[in-house]
Amino acid sequence: MVRSNPTLVTAMRLLDQLHFNGQLFLRHRVRTVLLLLAVGLGVASVIMLTSLGEGARRYVDREFSALGNQLLIVLPGRKETTGGAPPIYGAAPRDLTLEDAQALERLPAIRAVAPVIAGTAPVTRGSRSREVIVLGSTAAIFQVRKMDVAQGKILPERADSEALAVCVLGSKLKRELFGNRRAIGEWVRAGDRRMRVIGVLEERGESLGLDLRDMIIVPVRTAEQMFNSPGLFRVLLELDANADFDRVEERVRGVIRERHEGEDDVTLISQDSMLAAFNNILTTLTLAIAAIAAISLLVAGILIMNISLISVSQRRREIGLLKALGGSSRQVRQLFLGESLLLVSLGSVAGVAVAWVAVLVVARLWPAFPLAPPWWSVPAAVGTALLSGLVFSLIPARRAAALDPVLAMRGQDL
């Protein structure tokens, strides 16, 4: 007596079903193409939309990494960062002054201190004028913000003590005012002051929401007089590579309390806390986008159910013949479920391929934005598609399995 191998039997049954389904798909080409299109578009939309969210997260991470990982920001006003977007302005009863920043320079473990005064003013040369951001700071701002000049030189060391009439232009501002002509040594008017151009920043994009191409950097004392305000917008601290952030924060607060009559009226934000806040926001946004895109897969599942119900109605005689030849209700149910899952699988493969090609093309055309799908997007999209296909195929499969073979061969439901 020859005993059959169960694995071999299962494999042969699977091959038989695949062959049967293949013939069925070829016989109903229009229906098959519509189902593949619905599932493929749903899977592709999930992957591509989540790629946008992941690209935004990577973009922010890259921008922060460009500043180094030892950055501590001091803002005027008492406001702790406990989540969400970091504060931009504080509400301080006492200004954070340039003298405060100079006191912080004496602390150990602080490599550089860049006080910042920010405002806007028209910058004019001849008949050309442009309203831009004016950043008042010292030579340390170039080290702390990892900026460099493409032409000329940075602000002199005396910029923290003298209101010098010099400036450094952003690359775009230079092009708008001077075109292709050399700007170094020329004069421009920023607000009500004439300044000599001593440098032009190298080409950079936006950093922390500031367009480095379209701005002007002037000495901090000059900015004090331009905006008639001794208060600083913020102070940027660059710490030593092995500095203990907690200890440095406590020392900074101690210096400020000593200078502000015992008041702890500043907010300290580390680069890690800002990055974590943005990561949380963008991750939540990406998940929300994925959930919205997954609705298209539910719609595809409903389409599969409707077309499968029509298919059951059209194939009554075929089902009746199958059961008359000995096929069980369980085998009929498995036949329809397998057909739906095979269609969903093929549609998912097509959707993944289309999404990857689209992401690669967009990434090639827009290299500044690091577009890439998150690791979980493909399994999540394919898993949702398979689950949707399985759930919405149950009703047609059960209806087919419940058909009476005699009535079904006559073309009747009951």
Side-chain angles (χ1 to χ4, degrees):
M1 180 177 178
V2 179
R3 300 182 61 182
S4 59
N5 187 332
T7 304
L8 182 60
V9 172
T10 303
M12 292 184 66
R13 285 177 179 173
L14 182 60
L15 288 174
D16 286 342
Q17 179 157 354
L18 290 175
H19 180 68
F20 177 78
N21 288 333
Q23 290 180 326
L24 189 65
F25 295 159
L26 290 175
R27 199 163 65 228
H28 302 281
R29 292 184 180 86
V30 176
R31 189 190 73 181
T32 303
V33 170
L34 285 176
L35 289 175
L36 290 176
L37 192 61
V39 176
L41 285 177
V43 171
S45 63
V46 171
I47 297 173
M48 288 191 290
L49 289 176
T50 53
S51 297
L52 290 175
E54 177 67 10
R57 193 190 66 79
R58 293 187 181 192
Y59 181 81
V60 171
D61 185 67
R62 188 179 65 186
E63 289 296 312
F64 276 92
S65 298
L67 299 177
N69 57 0
Q70 297 298 108
L71 184 65
L72 187 64
I73 303 173
V74 184
L75 299 175
R78 187 79 172 92
K79 196 171 182 179
E80 292 288 352
T81 301
T82 58
I88 303 301
Y89 295 97
R94 191 176 286 101
D95 286 331
L96 188 63
T97 64
L98 186 57
E99 287 70 26
D100 293 331
Q102 291 171 345
L104 295 177
E105 287 181 350
R106 294 189 284 273
L107 288 177
I110 293 182
R111 184 183 299 167
V113 177
V116 176
I117 293 178
T120 60
V123 179
T124 306
R125 175 185 173 268
S127 59
R128 294 187 175 186
S129 180
R130 189 172 181 83
E131 186 89 9
V132 296
I133 292 176
V134 178
L135 205 64
S137 189
T138 64
I141 189 69
F142 294 89
Q143 175 183 342
V144 175
R145 294 294 302 268
K146 311 300 180 191
M147 295 187 296
D148 203 355
V149 290
Q151 303 172 24
K153 57 185 178 182
I154 64 175
L155 294 178
E157 294 296 330
R158 293 181 295 137
D160 62 345
S161 58
E162 299 180 31
L164 305 173
V166 296
C167 65
V168 176
L169 303 181
S171 57
K172 182 178 180 181
L173 178 60
K174 181 264 176 186
R175 286 195 300 271
E176 293 294 331
L177 297 181
F178 293 92
N180 294 327
R181 295 183 56 187
R182 181 177 173 81
I184 304 300
E186 300 292 332
W187 290 87
V188 296
R189 180 174 289 278
D192 59 350
R193 293 173 175 272
R194 293 183 74 236
M195 298 183 184
R196 185 183 292 276
V197 179
I198 61 171
V200 177
L201 288 176
E202 64 179 5
E203 189 76 23
R204 286 274 300 272
E206 291 190 2
S207 176
L208 297 179
L210 184 65
D211 188 353
L212 301 178
R213 301 167 305 172
D214 204 12
M215 57 180 282
I216 180 173
I217 302 176
V218 303
V220 65
R221 291 296 186 188
T222 306
E224 274 185 344
Q225 296 177 2
M226 285 179 65
F227 301 113
N228 192 27
S229 171
L232 298 177
F233 174 57
R234 61 184 60 180
V235 178
L236 307 180
L237 307 178
E238 185 185 35
L239 311 188
D240 290 336
N242 57 352
D244 184 332
F245 266 79
D246 293 335
R247 180 173 296 181
V248 172
E249 285 189 19
E250 186 55 40
R251 287 176 174 172
V252 169
R253 291 189 184 281
V255 170
I256 296 300
R257 277 196 299 268
E258 184 179 336
R259 295 185 53 81
H260 288 193
E261 300 175 350
E263 293 290 332
D264 187 7
D265 55 359
V266 294
T267 297
L268 303 182
I269 304 175
S270 68
Q271 185 177 350
D272 288 343
S273 67
M274 295 178 68
L275 187 57
F278 277 110
N279 266 335
N280 289 337
I281 294 171
L282 293 173
T283 301
T284 304
L285 181 63
T286 303
L287 291 174
I289 292 174
I292 294 172
I295 293 175
S296 61
L297 292 174
L298 295 180
V299 174
I302 295 173
L303 179 63
I304 290 173
M305 182 179 68
N306 289 336
I307 292 182
S308 296
L309 286 172
I310 295 173
S311 176
V312 170
S313 179
Q314 292 175 339
R315 295 162 59 189
R316 283 194 301 270
R317 290 185 174 85
E318 176 186 326
I319 297 169
L321 179 60
L322 186 64
K323 298 186 79 171
L325 292 175
S328 64
S329 297
R330 180 169 172 269
Q331 289 175 320
V332 173
R333 187 165 53 247
Q334 288 179 344
L335 188 66
F336 275 83
L337 288 177
E339 178 184 328
S340 297
L341 290 179
L342 181 59
L343 271 174
V344 171
S345 300
L346 293 174
S348 297
V349 171
V352 171
V354 169
W356 273 102
V357 171
V359 168
L360 289 175
V361 170
V362 175
R364 179 69 64 89
L365 295 176
W366 193 12
F369 189 77
L371 191 70
W375 66 267
W376 50 265
S377 64
V378 173
V382 175
T384 304
L386 289 173
L387 182 63
S388 175
L390 178 64
V391 169
F392 286 102
S393 299
L394 285 176
I395 294 177
R398 286 178 177 175
R399 177 170 293 186
L403 287 176
D404 181 86
V406 177
L407 295 178
M409 291 182 68
R410 291 177 181 173
Q412 300 175 359
D413 287 337
L414 296 173

